[in-house]
């Protein structure tokens, strides 16, 4: 079985969670071939453990002032531009590797490719939307991104949320 992990590059939380899952899958599925798409220190973590890594993604930093996110519209725009670029790059990797399964830890760029090629996708997240915009322009961007997020999540075959709550539909 060929498995492609797409790991959000924002810090090492996503990467360490995926590393634990990958190690378990390697034990259970001994003949599996696993590759990782990530970036920044997350890619370095997987490379240090001799995994095949595509160092593709870049974290989009946000501005925090006095404990609150500021300049939302700028962040939304930068995130959208990064997403479009990484979506194309991720598609090339999916087409070359031809995985049987994609597991995404809060990486959205991989989902359209998986859907087009009818590759099952498991999406892990603790975010189903955001609500921190204060001004009308930021709220417009935020609504657009939240709707896009919902559409992408609905494409996935299974959504895993590491939080307490009840399972509903494909969200566990």
């Amino acid at each position: 079985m060929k498995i492609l992990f797409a790991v959000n590059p924002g810090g090492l939380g996503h990467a360490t969670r995926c590393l634990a899952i990958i190690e378990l899958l390697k034990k259970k599925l001994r003949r599996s071939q696993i590759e990782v798409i990530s970036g920044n220190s997350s890619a370095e973590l997987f490379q240090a453990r001799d995994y095949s890594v595509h160092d593709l993604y870049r974290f989009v930093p946000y501005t925090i002032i006095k404990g609150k996110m500021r300049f939302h519209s700028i962040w939304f725009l930068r995130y959208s531009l990064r997403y479009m670029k990484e979506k194309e790059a991720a598609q090339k990797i999916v087409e070359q590797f031809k995985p049987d399964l994609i597991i995404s830890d809060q990486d959205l760029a991989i989902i359209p490719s998986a859907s087009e090629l009818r590759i099952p996708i498991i999406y892990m997240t603790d975010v189903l939307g955001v609500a921190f915009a204060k001004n009308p322009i930021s709220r417009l961007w935020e609504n657009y991104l939240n709707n896009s997020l919902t559409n992408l999540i609905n494409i996935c075959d299974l959504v895993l949320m590491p939080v307490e709550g009840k399972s509903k539909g494909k969200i566990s």
Side-chain angles (χ1 to χ4, degrees), residues 49 68 103 169:
R49 298 216 172 19
K68 294 184 179 179
I103 300 174

Side-chain angles (χ1 to χ4, degrees), residues 8-83:
N8 183 301
L12 291 174
H14 300 283
T16 54
R17 175 169 53 198
C18 287
L19 183 60
I21 293 168
I22 290 170
E23 293 294 326
L24 182 63
L25 286 173
K26 276 179 58 179
K27 289 178 185 173
K28 298 281 185 186
L29 306 171
R30 293 178 195 230
R31 295 179 188 215
S32 63
Q33 184 180 352
I34 298 173
E35 289 193 12
V36 177
I37 298 175
S38 193
N40 301 333
S41 58
S42 295
E44 292 172 13
L45 177 73
F46 292 107
Q47 287 167 339
R49 298 216 172 19
D50 293 325
Y51 284 100
S52 176
V53 179
H54 303 273
D55 188 357
L56 172 69
Y57 297 146
R58 295 296 166 254
F59 180 68
V60 178
Y62 38 85
T63 303
I64 302 291
I65 299 174
K66 295 184 181 179
K68 294 184 179 179
M69 183 176 176
R70 301 289 186 207
F71 311 114
H72 305 98
S73 295
I74 294 169
W75 183 84
F76 289 141
L77 177 61
R78 290 177 62 214
Y79 178 85
S80 297
L81 293 171
R82 185 205 81 175
Y83 168 82

Side-chain angles (χ1 to χ4, degrees), residues 17-168:
R17 175 169 53 198
C18 287
L19 183 60
I21 293 168
I22 290 170
E23 293 294 326
L24 182 63
L25 286 173
K26 276 179 58 179
K27 289 178 185 173
K28 298 281 185 186
L29 306 171
R30 293 178 195 230
R31 295 179 188 215
S32 63
Q33 184 180 352
I34 298 173
E35 289 193 12
V36 177
I37 298 175
S38 193
N40 301 333
S41 58
S42 295
E44 292 172 13
L45 177 73
F46 292 107
Q47 287 167 339
R49 298 216 172 19
D50 293 325
Y51 284 100
S52 176
V53 179
H54 303 273
D55 188 357
L56 172 69
Y57 297 146
R58 295 296 166 254
F59 180 68
V60 178
Y62 38 85
T63 303
I64 302 291
I65 299 174
K66 295 184 181 179
K68 294 184 179 179
M69 183 176 176
R70 301 289 186 207
F71 311 114
H72 305 98
S73 295
I74 294 169
W75 183 84
F76 289 141
L77 177 61
R78 290 177 62 214
Y79 178 85
S80 297
L81 293 171
R82 185 205 81 175
Y83 168 82
M84 289 186 291
K85 179 180 169 186
E86 291 175 356
K87 185 174 112 175
E88 288 179 25
Q91 183 170 355
K92 290 177 185 171
I93 293 167
V94 170
E95 289 170 354
Q96 289 171 354
F97 183 57
K98 295 179 175 59
D100 300 302
L101 174 66
I102 294 175
I103 300 174
S104 170
D105 192 332
Q106 220 161 306
D107 168 47
L108 300 169
I110 198 83
I111 295 172
S113 300
S115 177
E116 271 182 40
L117 298 170
R118 297 197 168 142
I119 300 168
I121 186 159
I122 298 171
Y123 182 68
M124 297 183 294
T125 187
D126 56 358
V127 177
L128 296 176
V130 293
F132 46 70
K134 301 291 182 214
N135 66 58
I137 293 171
S138 292
R139 278 196 210 109
L140 284 172
W141 269 105
E142 188 174 75
N143 287 338
Y144 173 78
L145 291 176
N146 281 335
N147 288 333
S148 298
L149 174 62
T150 299
N151 292 337
L152 288 169
I153 286 173
N154 286 334
I155 291 171
C156 297
D157 296 281
L158 176 64
V159 179
L160 300 176
M161 296 192 67
V163 294
E164 285 190 46
K166 293 184 177 186
S167 296
K168 181 179 179 185

